[in-house]
Amino acid sequence: MGRGWGFLFGLLGAVWLLSLGHGEEQPPETAAQRCFCQVSGYLDDCTCDVETIDRFNNYRLFPRLQKLLESDYFRYYKVNLKRPCPFWNDISQCGRRDCAVKPCQSDEVPDGIKSASYKYSEEANNLIEECEQAERLGAVDESLSEETQKAVLQWTKHDDSSDNFCEADDIQSPEAEYVDLLLNPERYTGYKGPDAWKIWNVIYEENCFKYVSFSFRKILIRCENTFYSWLEGLCVEKRAFYRLISGLHASINVHLSARYLLQETWLEKKWGHNITEFQQRFDGILTEGEGPRRLKNLYFLYLIELRALSKVLPFFERPDFQLFTGNKIQDEENKMLLLEILHEIKSFPLHFDENSFFAGDKKEAHKLKEDFRLHFRNISRIMDCVGCFKCRLWGKLQTQGLGTALKILFSEKLIANMPESGPSYEFHLTRQEIVSLFNAFGRISTSVKELENFRNLLQNIH
């Protein structure tokens, strides 16, 4: 009897052990799980989680931000797309029709914008136009009023400020033109291959901080634990710099995957979500673990720019500031909408804490900040080497927007000391910086919204 029970228990135990390996099969992992498996919970170097950002962006911020960016003040961006590449001469221009940018005709741009590319209110325009005219003459004209002479010197000082993180575009050049961003949307153009790789390779290999030389191509195939153990060894500022660039790269790739040319006939083109393209860029298996990390860096970039917008609220709250286009009613409505958005951003509960940046030894912190700034200025110059003009347009705009966000984060004391009325000499944003700041954040906000769409599209794909 005992032997029989022993045999029975032994048999049941063997069956149980076998069931561990060959029992009920687990459902296969979905494409959504492979792309977003790590894109949840808290972000590195932050106290914020992905889910909080998704809810805040997709349901509270995104709709109002899109409405603001469709207004005249924010849709027209002046840019010189003909600046030569400062690093190499062998640029292959993209000949595809979708790479082209259609500039505005003179009568398409509101007069208030054309006459006030840097300006705020109608009253301030007259003063600043005198300043700019004097600057073009190369000296302070003694016939100008004392107030105007002071403004000339102050704005010149600002233009040479070490707080600028981007190479200033020469929008006074005859080759600079206004572009309607709504009519030249960022989307897939077919620009790829060695020329596109070269741009990102130079950005990562020559302009990101590192201990040892590495190739961007190798990053994509390197064992993730080895690479990220290298990254974790960097100080918080250098690690943040890499994550900002990676986040920007990821955001651009999300845009291209979400607005992909799916079908073209002689009657029309159909643009939409390309699931395969998205998987190639972000699937955890196809990218050997790198894709989900890129998406987390996109959220890190979102938090950095969100924090900058919360910091700059006092600049836009001043009564003298207008989103000046010449249409008084529209300008007032848009300023109200802008302030609504900024107050909403201010209320975000888990902002990034930038106080950890450059907080060590003063001498070392100053050098690190200067290196940080020079690296980023160099990246803004690389945008003039992009062979696709539409890609160059959006690359220049988004790097200028991020550079403006960094400038704001490192100008907290200057913003706090601004006068309540009149020109702000110590802290100053040009119209170019304002338009690029909000449009760049609008692109990141769109990326976060599109990730929700891709999650849903990939749920049933294996």
Side-chain angles (χ1 to χ4, degrees), residues 146-164:
E146 183 178 345
E147 183 180 10
T148 301
Q149 290 183 45
K150 181 181 178 182
V152 171
L153 296 174
Q154 292 285 0
W155 258 291
T156 302
K157 179 181 176 182
H158 162 77
D159 290 338
D160 295 334
S161 169
S162 62
D163 290 323
N164 289 328

Side-chain angles (χ1 to χ4, degrees), residues 2-16:
R3 182 181 297 177
W5 279 109
F7 174 77
L8 179 60
F9 283 131
L11 181 61
L12 290 173
V15 170
W16 177 75

Side-chain angles (χ1 to χ4, degrees), residues 363-377:
K363 187 175 181 180
E364 290 182 7
H366 178 76
K367 182 182 185 304
L368 186 57
K369 179 181 176 181
E370 181 64 11
D371 289 343
F372 200 95
R373 187 182 68 85
L374 291 176
H375 277 256
F376 196 84
R377 281 176 71 97

Side-chain angles (χ1 to χ4, degrees), residues 314-458:
F315 177 80
F316 293 106
E317 281 186 315
R318 293 176 306 130
D320 285 355
F321 179 83
Q322 285 187 41
L323 298 174
F324 186 69
T325 66
N327 184 328
K328 188 172 183 179
I329 295 175
Q330 187 184 81
D331 292 346
E332 289 175 355
E333 290 177 351
N334 286 331
K335 181 174 180 180
M336 287 178 60
L337 178 58
L338 173 73
L339 293 179
E340 272 182 36
I341 290 170
L342 291 177
H343 278 287
E344 186 73 66
I345 290 172
K346 190 82 173 177
S347 72
F348 184 71
L350 297 170
H351 273 294
F352 179 80
D353 181 9
E354 74 285 358
N355 291 323
S356 60
F357 278 13
F358 311 112
D361 176 80
K362 285 187 177 181
K363 187 175 181 180
E364 290 182 7
H366 178 76
K367 182 182 185 304
L368 186 57
K369 179 181 176 181
E370 181 64 11
D371 289 343
F372 200 95
R373 187 182 68 85
L374 291 176
H375 277 256
F376 196 84
R377 281 176 71 97
N378 215 37
I379 290 173
S380 73
R381 297 174 69 205
I382 292 172
M383 292 301 119
D384 285 316
C385 302
V386 177
C388 164
F389 284 111
K390 188 168 288 181
C391 306
R392 184 183 297 194
L393 164 67
W394 285 100
K396 287 167 76 75
L397 182 144
Q398 289 176 83
T399 51
Q400 185 179 28
L402 177 53
T404 303
L406 294 173
K407 169 183 168 178
I408 293 167
L409 287 179
F410 299 124
S411 301
E412 185 174 16
K413 291 182 180 178
L414 299 181
I415 294 172
N417 294 329
M418 285 188 306
E420 292 184 4
S421 61
S424 172
Y425 296 124
E426 294 300 323
F427 179 80
H428 175 63
L429 290 180
T430 68
R431 180 180 176 274
Q432 288 291 108
E433 289 174 315
I434 295 168
V435 172
S436 64
L437 173 68
F438 281 90
N439 272 285
F441 182 68
R443 293 281 74 211
I444 305 163
S445 174
T446 299
S447 292
V448 172
K449 185 73 172 70
E450 289 292 358
L451 290 185
E452 182 180 59
N453 295 331
F454 276 112
R455 275 191 187 96
N456 295 331
L457 290 169
L458 292 167

Side-chain angles (χ1 to χ4, degrees), residues 177-210:
E177 299 177 290
Y178 281 99
V179 174
D180 185 338
L181 298 174
L182 298 184
L183 297 181
N184 294 274
E186 184 182 25
R187 58 192 180 192
Y188 182 79
T189 64
Y191 177 65
K192 57 184 178 180
D195 293 327
W197 272 98
K198 185 175 184 178
I199 297 295
W200 286 109
N201 191 63
V202 170
I203 288 174
Y204 282 101
E205 189 172 71
E206 298 182 18
N207 291 282
C208 281
F209 297 96
K210 53 188 179 291

